[in-house]
Amino acid sequence: MFDYHGFFSAEIDGLKARGGYRTFLDVQREAGSFPSALRHGPDADSRINVWCSNDYLGMGQHPLVLEAMHRAIDETGAGSGGSRNISGNNHYHVLLEQELASLHGAEAALIFPSGYSANDAALTVLAGKLPGCVVLSDELNHASMIAGMRHSGAEKLIFRHNDMDHLEELLAGIAPETPKIIAVESIYSMESDIAPLARVAELAREYGAFSYLDEVHAVGMYGPEGAGKAAELGIADRFDVIQGTLAKAYGIAGGYVAGPASAIDAIRSFASAFIFTTSLPPAVAAGALAAVRHLKRSELEREDMKAKAALLQDLLRERRIPVVSDDAHIVPVLIGDSAKCRAVAAELLEQHRIYVQPINSPSVPTGSERLRVTPTPHHTEAQIHAFADALDALWHRHDLPRRQVEELAAAL
């Protein structure tokens, strides 16, 4: 008889041996005190400062967001009651989709329980329905985009990260009449670098490709009203579908796509991941709606976040602590060794009460292990200086190499 339990135990043992086993920190966020949080430990609880949150602007604790969610719970209760098709289409969902369509200057928008499901569902339908479609995908695209391409059954061609010459070479090899989709992210979170969006849009137009842009790390953060990187460049209208999240800059949960009514309606009508899932709780949609509306009219959070990220980048540059890229607000600190990456993260936590998650293979290639640091408007300048000093001490303790961004870029 097959040993099922033994098989899965061996799989986990192998994962641990490769250094890829993930553990979770028991962290309790406390409204009004972010980035401070409570860490629950086996022996005692302690206070820590969180430096790896995707709540980039702290909107998850904004008074307007909390008020909107409380009000929605009082009005509608906790859950939605079903899928959008079967009793779960709440008015907050409708209002949120209208607001997101307006944000992106699009005809329509559609919300999902997560950004992952939005990418998976949208690309499954868009690439799967187009006859003989070929998808051209950046090699560093998110797992959710890759899942959607795979589920679509379409042919996939992968081009080197941000390499537009390679993308054009692949496009030139596809028959002009063949439907094709170019799928990229605007900001790649593990690298903190930005796609050459203007060139992507040019190639899509020149070769007759449908363009799909993942803006999850940019919506709420960049561009007029927080509409994203393409909007910041004034070329948002040159991308057919924009995908975003409500879980990062907007601080809540959920994902969405925005674009032409025909494409969005096709996703709504054919995507199993949308049709057969319970819709977002109305209170979550209400909170996201409040966050989107606030960040459409307020620049304060974005300006403060960019200033804090720039300060940390400057301090690390002074100490020659290598950062993979300083193009965007995420600060990926390169360590390049899985054991040392875990050790540095553990010592930051235990010695300095600084929580930043080590990022090891397979999330990043072996030899490029890093700390993915996300300074926010709520980190004080004193905390940022303390973080840089703590990291500098650990760099010395572990005898880690020191490089500037330019040197690192040349090496990579």
Side-chain angles (χ1 to χ4, degrees):
M1 184 178 294
F2 191 82
D3 183 3
Y4 299 98
H5 299 297
F7 172 82
F8 290 118
S9 294
E11 288 290 300
I12 294 298
D13 289 342
L15 184 63
K16 290 179 177 177
R18 295 190 299 272
Y21 186 71
R22 292 174 171 86
T23 58
F24 300 150
L25 198 68
D26 189 350
V27 179
Q28 182 174 320
R29 286 160 55 95
E30 295 181 319
S33 65
F34 181 79
S36 177
L38 186 64
R39 174 198 180 189
H40 294 288
D43 301 318
D45 296 341
S46 59
R47 302 209 69 81
I48 59 172
N49 281 326
V50 178
W51 282 86
C52 54
S53 175
N54 281 341
D55 188 359
Y56 293 145
L57 300 178
M59 291 302 295
Q61 65 173 9
H62 196 285
L64 289 176
V65 173
L66 300 185
E67 179 186 352
M69 296 186 75
H70 281 297
R71 184 170 62 250
I73 287 176
D74 290 340
E75 291 172 353
T76 69
S80 68
S83 67
R84 293 287 292 278
N85 191 50
I86 304 177
S87 83
N89 186 44
N90 188 273
H91 190 53
Y92 284 113
H93 299 140
V94 176
L95 292 175
L96 178 56
E97 287 172 343
Q98 291 172 349
E99 197 70 42
L100 291 168
S102 170
L103 174 68
H104 293 291
E107 291 180 344
L110 189 68
I111 57 173
F112 290 80
S114 71
Y116 190 106
S117 60
N119 265 334
D120 187 356
L123 285 167
T124 295
V125 171
L126 295 172
K129 284 292 181 182
L130 289 170
C133 181
V134 177
V135 184
L136 299 106
S137 173
D138 188 288
E139 67 177 333
L140 294 188
N141 276 342
H142 192 265
S144 57
M145 300 173 76
I146 295 169
M149 297 170 203
R150 182 183 301 117
H151 292 153
S152 75
E155 180 183 357
K156 180 176 70 172
L157 300 178
I158 300 173
F159 59 91
R160 291 183 293 271
H161 179 52
N162 282 348
D163 187 335
M164 295 298 98
D165 291 337
H166 190 204
L167 173 58
E168 184 168 18
E169 178 186 329
L170 294 175
L171 284 165
I174 304 171
E177 66 275 12
T178 299
K180 40 200 165 284
I181 296 175
I182 301 174
V184 299
E185 300 180 42
S186 59
I187 297 175
Y188 289 84
S189 71
M190 292 301 173
E191 311 298 312
S192 197
D193 62 350
I194 299 168
L197 296 180
R199 185 61 180 147
V200 171
E202 288 173 4
L203 289 173
R205 181 175 55 195
E206 181 178 349
Y207 288 90
F210 187 98
S211 51
Y212 184 95
L213 179 60
D214 177 317
E215 288 256 43
V216 296
H217 299 285
V219 291
M221 306 287 289
Y222 298 91
E225 298 186 331
K229 267 292 174 182
E232 183 178 72
L233 297 171
I235 57 173
D237 60 341
R238 294 169 63 184
F239 288 88
D240 293 294
V241 168
I242 289 177
Q243 184 266 351
T245 184
L246 303 166
K248 293 182 171 61
Y250 297 120
I252 316 298
Y256 66 90
V257 288
S262 58
I264 301 305
D265 200 20
I267 297 167
R268 183 190 69 85
S269 300
F270 295 114
S272 295
F274 176 80
I275 296 169
F276 299 108
T277 194
T278 301
S279 61
L280 282 175
V284 173
L289 177 63
V292 172
R293 285 175 171 171
H294 175 75
L295 289 177
K296 285 178 74 172
R297 61 177 180 264
S298 173
E299 289 292 332
L300 178 63
E301 291 83 2
R302 285 188 282 274
E303 291 172 356
D304 200 4
M305 174 274 299
K306 291 172 185 175
K308 298 294 176 60
L311 173 60
L312 179 58
Q313 290 162 349
D314 287 344
L315 293 174
L316 296 183
R317 181 182 290 271
E318 289 173 6
R319 293 156 175 78
R320 292 180 58 82
I321 293 174
V323 173
V324 177
S325 169
D326 55 9
D327 290 344
H329 61 283
I330 302 163
V331 184
V333 180
L334 182 69
I335 293 179
D337 178 277
S338 61
K340 288 184 178 180
C341 191
R342 289 194 300 272
V344 168
E347 290 176 39
L348 282 171
L349 181 63
E350 300 302 333
Q351 298 175 14
H352 302 278
R353 297 293 184 261
I354 289 171
Y355 171 42
V356 57
Q357 188 69 26
I359 306 296
N360 291 335
S361 175
S363 298
V364 294
T366 300
S368 67
E369 293 82 1
R370 64 199 64 181
L371 304 176
R372 182 182 177 276
V373 185
T374 53
T376 74
H378 296 276
H379 288 91
T380 66
E381 290 191 8
Q383 288 172 332
I384 294 171
H385 279 271
F387 177 87
D389 289 341
L391 206 54
D392 188 43
L394 290 173
W395 228 256
H396 178 75
R397 170 180 167 81
H398 290 277
D399 193 27
L400 292 166
R402 296 178 186 264
R403 300 182 190 176
Q404 296 285 24
V405 171
E406 294 80 8
E407 298 173 73
L408 189 58
L412 295 176

